[in-house]
Amino acid sequence: DRDDGHWYKTKIDEIYPSISTILSETSSDEKKQSLQNWKENEPAHKFITEQAQHIGTQSHKIIEDYLKNQLYLEEFDLLPIAHFHNLKSFLQNISEVVGIEQKMYSDKLRVAGTSDLIAKYNGKLSIIDYKTKRKPVYDEYMYEYYLQTTCYSLMFQEITGQKIDQIVILVSSEKNTRQEFIKSPNEYVEDLHERIEKYYLDSQL
């Protein structure tokens, strides 16, 4: 972690930014301003952000332990447990786990990151991410996540030679809704390349 984002060191000591850092830095001015306005108008924004991170971290750990058959729910808070139960019907579609919290990087793209899960989902090799939200989300809202998971798919293919069939994002909300977003990474490769290129061009200015 640095002031300018989250970075990874490769086995040959290259230093690459995380894909989340790249996407954050290259997000639209409108999105950046919207976040700034929220912080200025929400006195408890730090507490809300920290709570959301805590809930997300615990929810990820529960799912990780569940997939490893090492789950002891007594260790976790009630809300992350509720998110887990909410997503459990989707989790039953997962098989043949390849990697959990898998760190990867790409020398071609000069980017790194950590995928929640690489496994088969409904029989197709997938990059799978889980999200916990306060309320249901719309497809348009998920665009940045589609770019992020597409990046994971390209990193995985570069490392292993295996092509990812689909990206899957599972969302649980505190309104007791569950959502399943399934996309082809091919739809987002061009947009992803543009964002990474923009990041490196801007960093040279």
Side-chain angles (χ1 to χ4, degrees), residues 147-176:
L147 294 180
Q148 184 177 359
T149 46
T150 293
C151 189
Y152 296 149
S153 76
L154 296 181
M155 288 191 281
F156 180 78
Q157 183 173 356
E158 183 177 328
I159 293 165
T160 67
Q162 289 182 275
K163 187 172 177 60
I164 294 292
D165 297 319
Q166 59 188 11
I167 52 179
V168 179
I169 303 178
L170 307 176
V171 183
S172 171
S173 85
E174 293 175 22
K175 303 293 185 181
N176 201 34

Side-chain angles (χ1 to χ4, degrees), residues 65-87:
D65 289 353
Y66 169 76
L67 293 171
K68 291 179 177 179
N69 294 314
Q70 299 173 352
L71 180 57
Y72 299 96
L73 287 176
E74 298 81 3
E75 301 173 5
F76 300 98
D77 297 335
L78 289 178
L79 188 49
I81 291 173
H83 281 303
F84 164 68
H85 285 300
N86 197 29
L87 290 177

Side-chain angles (χ1 to χ4, degrees), residues 22-36 143-144 147 195 198 202:
I22 287 177
L23 293 176
S24 175
E25 289 294 320
T26 58
S27 64
S28 67
D29 290 340
E30 180 182 5
K31 186 170 183 177
K32 289 177 181 176
Q33 188 59 53
S34 176
L35 177 60
Q36 184 61 34
Y143 175 71
E144 300 286 302
L147 294 180
R195 292 285 286 274
K198 174 176 170 51
D202 290 350

Side-chain angles (χ1 to χ4, degrees), residues 167-188:
I167 52 179
V168 179
I169 303 178
L170 307 176
V171 183
S172 171
S173 85
E174 293 175 22
K175 303 293 185 181
N176 201 34
T177 63
R178 65 183 67 85
Q179 295 170 280
E180 176 192 60
F181 297 89
I182 300 178
K183 302 287 183 177
S184 166
N186 296 335
E187 296 179 43
Y188 303 96

